[in-house]
Amino acid sequence: MPPTTTPPTTFQLPYVARLGFVLLSITLLVYWMHVLGSIVTLLLFSIILSMAMFPLTQWLEKKGLPSAFAITLAILAFTAVFVGVGFVIGYEVNEFMQMLPQMLSKVESYAAQMQQWAYEHLKISHKMQVNKLQEYTQNLSSKSGDMVGSAVTTTGSMLGMLAIVPVFIFFVLYYRNMLTQFLYKVFSHTPKSKLNGVFSKIYEVVHNYLYGLFLVTLIVGMLNSIGLLALGIQSAFFFGFLAAILLIIPYFGILIGSILPIVVALVTKESPMYALGVAGIFFFVQILEGNFITPYIVGSKISINPLAAIVALFLCEMLWGIAGMALALPLTAILKVIFDSVSYLKPYGYVLGEPEVDKERELKSTKIQALERELVETIHETTDEVKAIFHKKKPVKKAS
């Protein structure tokens, strides 16, 4: 009788120990992502922008250009677009600077009116008001030096880091095949077909986000500018597209961008109703953008619910500042793709996405649209066949 072999027992840690290990790992990951925030954000921006440049690079390579030359041309093309946008913004900023003397004189008149109102209604003498104003001015001037120095240092470091982004993009595109093989080796127990599916979904999500953001920025910028032109606000296109560009910060960008034109309307116009009109225009455009424009253009490719987007926005802002706010939505969408592809992480992908009811309704709508297209094509084909039969049976007139 052969000896019976008992299967080896697998040791499993208790749930509390596993939970503690996971929380410790997340804590260490977040800590090092915060400590190395500058290099991490640069790499993330470079990876996302390299995905945007990949189609042009691939097209140039198919035309027979060497890989390094094709990548360089793609980077130069995108850089030229950004430089062109920068020149337009600089021109608008120059026009805005020409408005400053008028705005300052208006502010002085408002300050005089406020002083008179404080004297008449609050019984605060002009001398006390001037003393308090001088005190606040001295405090502000003492702090402004540090603020300006910090701003100059931060701006210089940001510009220096932005100069490195094209280098990162070049090497990410140049070594893309090696990076793919690296991921194959890291996840060697996962079938390559499944990994390729995840890579394709991430690529599609990032492309849809960038393309949708570009179209939404154009549409929202035009709507803002038309509304500001109707109210007669100076530099309408600058303020309109500035607020639209800030859409890169979800839900709050357009609200931040509306503050400056509201202040300009208060200063340059006689009636405060113009400022109220500016606020109404931006609020109306925000409603259109959030409920109609972005859902229609971006669609279900970035299926992140608003609660998850806002939480991710605040968390990334605490982690990386303004750069984190810009990265919040694409990173959350990428995480959702990864969570949906791993069996034990699917609940987390579910809580990040839209409700299933909306997905089912969207799927039914897609099927109905497909049936409508098939029906129209069938009607056209049937009409063409009937016309062909009619032309064949049409009697030919005999020559007299």
Side-chain angles (χ1 to χ4, degrees), residues 46-298:
S46 302
I47 291 170
I48 291 174
L49 290 175
S50 65
M51 291 184 189
M53 298 181 191
F54 176 70
L56 179 58
T57 303
Q58 192 177 38
W59 180 78
L60 291 172
E61 287 175 350
K62 287 181 179 178
K63 294 295 181 181
L65 294 178
S67 182
F69 190 53
I71 295 169
T72 305
L73 283 180
I75 293 174
L76 288 176
F78 274 77
T79 304
V81 172
F82 282 111
V83 169
V85 172
F87 273 118
V88 173
I89 292 175
Y91 175 76
E92 293 292 343
V93 169
N94 186 31
E95 283 196 350
F96 176 70
M97 295 298 291
Q98 293 177 2
M99 296 166 49
L100 282 180
Q102 178 187 357
M103 293 175 62
L104 290 175
S105 63
K106 201 83 173 187
V107 168
E108 289 176 358
S109 65
Y110 278 142
Q113 293 175 9
M114 289 178 65
Q115 283 184 350
Q116 186 63 29
W117 183 88
Y119 175 72
E120 293 177 356
H121 294 83
L122 302 178
K123 305 303 179 183
I124 302 175
S125 64
H126 292 284
K127 184 177 181 181
M128 185 180 295
Q129 293 180 39
V130 170
N131 292 334
K132 286 291 182 183
L133 185 61
Q134 288 178 350
E135 181 182 347
Y136 291 142
T137 304
Q138 288 174 358
N139 292 333
L140 183 63
S141 62
S142 62
K143 294 178 181 179
S144 62
D146 297 333
M147 292 174 63
V148 170
S150 176
V152 170
T153 305
T154 305
T155 304
S157 63
M158 285 180 63
L159 290 176
M161 289 181 176
L162 286 175
I164 307 174
V165 170
V167 179
F168 282 167
I169 293 173
F170 178 87
F171 286 113
V172 168
L173 288 172
Y174 190 75
Y175 292 114
R176 61 183 184 271
N177 294 326
M178 188 182 73
L179 295 173
T180 306
Q181 292 298 323
F182 165 74
L183 293 174
Y184 286 154
K185 293 179 183 298
V186 171
F187 303 101
S188 57
H189 297 291
T190 305
K192 285 187 178 181
S193 58
K194 188 173 182 179
L195 287 175
N196 289 332
V198 174
F199 297 157
S200 299
K201 287 180 182 178
I202 291 175
Y203 177 77
E204 184 181 2
V205 160
V206 173
H207 256 260
N208 278 280
Y209 172 73
L210 294 174
Y211 178 70
L213 184 66
F214 175 73
L215 287 182
V216 169
T217 301
L218 285 180
I219 296 171
V220 172
M222 287 304 299
L223 291 175
N224 290 338
S225 303
I226 290 170
L228 294 176
L229 282 173
L231 290 176
I233 305 298
Q234 298 181 17
S235 300
F237 284 98
F238 170 66
F239 294 128
F241 277 93
L242 176 64
I245 290 171
L246 289 174
L247 283 173
I248 195 172
I249 304 173
Y251 303 103
F252 299 101
I254 195 169
L255 297 177
I256 297 171
S258 65
I259 295 174
L260 191 57
I262 289 173
V263 172
V264 170
L266 280 173
V267 172
T268 58
K269 298 294 183 181
E270 297 296 332
S271 173
M273 295 303 294
Y274 283 94
L276 189 62
V278 172
I281 287 169
F282 279 93
F283 178 74
F284 177 70
V285 173
Q286 171 76 9
I287 296 297
L288 283 179
E289 183 269 330
N291 294 281
F292 299 100
I293 300 174
T294 297
Y296 179 77
I297 292 176
V298 180

Side-chain angles (χ1 to χ4, degrees), residues 345-365:
L345 294 177
K346 282 185 178 180
Y348 303 101
Y350 170 79
V351 80
L352 290 177
E354 294 288 351
E356 293 294 333
V357 177
D358 293 343
K359 289 186 177 179
E360 291 177 2
R361 187 182 305 154
E362 193 172 324
L363 184 61
K364 288 179 181 178
S365 175

Side-chain angles (χ1 to χ4, degrees), residues 26-44:
I26 293 174
T27 303
L28 290 174
L29 178 64
V30 171
Y31 171 76
W32 283 111
M33 287 174 69
H34 177 69
V35 171
L36 303 174
S38 57
I39 187 68
V40 170
T41 51
L42 279 177
L43 282 173
L44 291 174

Side-chain angles (χ1 to χ4, degrees), residues 33-34 37 40-41 44 316-324 327 331:
M33 287 174 69
H34 177 69
V40 170
T41 51
L44 291 174
C316 290
E317 192 277 332
M318 293 174 65
L319 193 61
W320 295 319
I322 297 176
L327 289 168
L331 286 183

